[in-house]
Amino acid sequence: MMLLRGAWTRRPLLLPTPGPRGRAPPRPRTPLPQVLQVKCGNLKYYQSHLYSTVVPPDEITVNYRHGLPLITLTLPSRKERCQFVVKPMSSTVGSFLQDLQSEDKGVKTAAVFTADGSEIPASTLMEILLMNDFKLVINKITYDVQCPRKEKLSMEHAAEMDSVKSLVHRLFTALHLEEFQKKREHHLLERIDHLKGQLQPLEQVKAGIEARSEAKTSGLLWAGLALLSVQGGALAWLTWWVYSWDIMEPVTYFITFANSMVFFAYFIVTRQDYTYSAVKSRQFLHFFHKKSKRQHFDVVRYNKLKEDLAKATESLKQSARQCP
């Protein structure tokens, strides 16, 4: 007879006494095999009589303890039986595989498939996975996992369970909201610092390009003013000193008409009204992009970093307003 490990006291072995008709009393029934369940280690399966069967060392089993599923498997590198406690309502297939790889660094690849060979997404809840049998592939070795069938709940019991799940979810959110907000703010601050570090050299190059483009645009505007001044002085000189107004009047008319044609052509080409501010902005952008190509300044990357920085800053402000 095999005995379980643990403290026990030695008792004298008593001989059976015959009954009233000379028969020995019936022997007590031998208990069912018991499994020593530990978190992780060299799990041994004890049996109380010689005819009991044990679980093969490489088999993956699914049992329930206190309502929570326990997945027991053998770690590939350490050759130890290990139990994983699964939280069906919050755990996913991806988190279970991550825990498996974290526990045993020898697990290079791990995936879960259905019984017919279809891969199960990592976002699938463990509660849904444990409803049917599945296959667990570890390091290209396939294990058939049989899940114990659970009795179907009645409609009232199912509705009550749904309300309990919703209550637990709300309590979990309320208790961990402050911790989540702190982690989120810390992540946003790190992202903002990283984006500012990437933008700093680009800002210096951009400032130099803007200064030169602004100077060139201002010079072009001053040149236009000088040209108009020369045009007005030439017309005045031709009107009062060389010719008379009767001769110069049609000349000024055609000059005004030509200017109107130039303004209309500008609208057709640019689809913008001819205003001095619009012309200045357009000319500034022309000079800016031209100089950016010469200095290899990536305008698209700069705009993307500025947008990401604005979004991160806005998210940080919203997170600060949500905190009590």
Side-chain angles (χ1 to χ4, degrees):
M1 174 181 252
M2 300 181 64
L3 298 178
L4 295 178
R5 290 183 180 178
W8 58 281
T9 58
R10 184 182 299 273
R11 299 179 60 184
L13 182 61
L14 301 179
L15 296 176
T17 57
R21 294 185 181 180
R23 296 181 181 178
R27 295 182 180 179
R29 292 184 179 179
T30 305
L32 296 176
Q34 295 182 357
V35 178
L36 179 62
Q37 298 178 347
V38 296
K39 183 64 178 176
C40 191
N42 190 11
L43 300 184
K44 296 182 179 179
Y45 293 82
Y46 296 94
Q47 51 185 344
S48 60
H49 55 84
L50 297 178
Y51 299 98
S52 299
T53 59
V54 296
V55 179
D58 293 335
E59 184 177 349
I60 299 178
T61 60
V62 179
N63 299 317
Y64 283 85
R65 181 193 295 176
H66 305 296
L68 293 178
L70 298 178
I71 300 178
T72 307
L73 53 87
T74 303
L75 300 179
S77 61
R78 288 154 38 187
K79 301 301 180 182
E80 294 177 350
R81 298 287 288 176
C82 188
Q83 287 183 344
F84 292 88
V85 181
V86 178
K87 298 180 180 179
M89 292 184 295
S90 59
S91 300
T92 60
V93 174
S95 62
F96 169 68
L97 296 179
Q98 289 179 359
D99 293 341
L100 178 60
Q101 292 177 340
S102 299
E103 183 65 29
D104 189 354
K105 301 302 180 182
V107 178
K108 302 302 181 182
T109 59
V112 179
F113 296 85
T114 59
D116 56 359
S118 302
E119 185 174 2
I120 299 178
S123 59
T124 304
L125 291 175
M126 292 297 294
E127 183 178 12
I128 299 176
L129 175 66
L130 297 176
M131 290 181 179
N132 301 306
D133 298 341
F134 60 92
K135 295 181 179 180
L136 179 60
V137 180
I138 302 176
N139 293 341
K140 298 182 180 180
I141 300 177
T142 303
Y143 300 91
D144 293 328
V145 182
Q146 296 182 353
C147 299
R149 296 292 181 262
K150 299 178 66 176
E151 297 180 357
K152 295 184 179 179
L153 301 177
S154 61
M155 296 297 295
E156 297 179 357
H157 195 182
E160 183 179 356
M161 288 297 297
D162 291 338
S163 62
V164 171
K165 292 179 182 179
S166 177
L167 178 60
V168 171
H169 179 71
R170 290 198 299 268
L171 289 175
F172 180 83
T173 303
L175 293 175
H176 295 79
L177 180 60
E178 184 177 357
E179 181 180 358
F180 173 76
Q181 291 289 349
K182 289 181 180 179
K183 290 182 179 180
R184 187 167 183 267
E185 289 180 1
H186 181 69
H187 174 71
L188 289 174
L189 289 174
E190 289 182 349
R191 179 169 176 78
I192 289 173
D193 293 339
H194 178 67
L195 292 174
K196 287 182 178 180
Q198 290 183 322
L199 280 171
Q200 185 176 2
L202 297 177
E203 290 285 0
Q204 296 176 357
V205 178
K206 175 176 172 290
I209 296 175
E210 283 182 342
R212 288 189 289 272
S213 300
E214 183 68 26
K216 200 166 184 178
T217 304
S218 299
L220 186 62
L221 293 178
W222 282 105
L225 178 60
L227 181 62
L228 290 176
S229 300
V230 171
Q231 179 183 350
L235 291 176
W237 178 69
L238 292 174
T239 301
W240 281 293
W241 279 275
V242 179
Y243 303 109
S244 62
W245 174 248
D246 295 336
I247 297 176
M248 294 303 299
E249 183 178 6
V251 175
T252 56
Y253 172 79
F254 282 109
I255 291 175
T256 305
F257 184 75
N259 291 334
S260 300
M261 292 180 63
V262 171
F263 298 154
F264 188 68
Y266 175 85
F267 174 77
I268 293 176
V269 173
T270 63
R271 301 298 178 180
Q272 294 179 352
D273 293 335
Y274 186 86
T275 58
Y276 295 117
S277 59
V279 172
K280 180 182 177 182
S281 299
R282 184 178 181 82
Q283 199 62 37
F284 172 81
L285 291 176
H286 173 72
F287 290 141
F288 181 84
H289 286 282
K290 189 175 181 180
K291 292 184 179 297
S292 297
K293 291 181 179 180
R294 291 179 181 177
Q295 297 189 11
H296 304 286
F297 177 76
D298 194 351
V299 179
V300 177
R301 179 170 176 266
Y302 174 81
N303 291 334
K304 181 66 169 58
L305 291 175
K306 291 290 286 185
E307 290 178 0
D308 293 343
L309 180 61
K311 291 180 181 178
T313 305
E314 183 64 24
S315 299
L316 183 61
K317 292 181 180 179
Q318 291 180 358
S319 179
R321 287 196 293 266
Q322 290 176 0
C323 290

